[in-house]
Amino acid sequence: QVQLVESGGGLVQTGGSLRLSCAASKRTFSTSTLGWFRRAPGKEREFVARITWSGDSIYYRDSVKGRFTISTDYAKTTMYLQMNSLKPEDTAVYYCNLFVPGTSLVIPGRSWGQGTQVTVSS
């Protein structure tokens, strides 16, 4: 199985920026869909953004459009989420995973990793 490890979270004030990384243990097909979910305490995970390894089919949830940028470095087998103009409502644990192609749903049977904590202070 492909393992994905998140990193790059931290504490930032409103309006600040963070860059999250998601490192894959193995390369997958360039057409594979992957992306980010986030979960605040006491709330369900919610979709944030997705992409293919080749950089196609990019999609964001409305609340992060214009602020977050998802990208990949296939040679490094790493996906990134550049987060700018952060707001307190962005506070959550951020997770990456492999998605059902063309959807914002995680492939059935895949587990969730540790995630990386993002905290935005007001």
Side-chain angles (χ1 to χ4, degrees):
Q1 65 177 344
V2 176
Q3 296 178 320
L4 303 174
V5 180
E6 306 90 344
S7 63
L11 174 64
V12 66
Q13 294 186 358
T14 298
S17 298
L18 287 171
R19 188 192 192 198
L20 307 184
S21 297
C22 174
S25 62
K26 301 178 181 179
R27 285 186 172 85
T28 59
F29 294 111
S30 62
T31 53
S32 296
T33 299
L34 66 167
W36 298 88
F37 268 66
R38 65 187 181 186
R39 186 175 185 175
K43 297 182 179 180
E44 296 182 358
R45 286 186 180 90
E46 64 180 16
F47 167 78
V48 178
R50 60 171 167 85
I51 195 172
T52 64
W53 278 118
S54 61
D56 297 325
S57 301
I58 294 174
Y59 193 80
Y60 302 93
R61 70 177 296 112
D62 286 344
S63 63
V64 308
K65 289 179 179 177
R67 300 189 299 119
F68 291 10
T69 302
I70 190 169
S71 63
T72 62
D73 186 335
Y74 190 56
K76 291 184 168 59
T77 322
T78 302
M79 175 180 62
Y80 304 98
L81 185 68
Q82 178 66 47
M83 306 185 295
N84 299 324
S85 302
L86 283 163
K87 305 174 181 180
E89 52 262 44
D90 296 317
T91 295
V93 178
Y94 284 69
Y95 304 87
C96 59
N97 219 322
L98 298 177
F99 290 14
V100 176
T103 78
S104 301
L105 301 174
V106 172
I107 293 174
R110 283 194 58 84
S111 61
W112 297 93
Q114 179 177 298
T116 186
Q117 175 72 51
V118 172
T119 303
V120 184
S121 65
S122 59

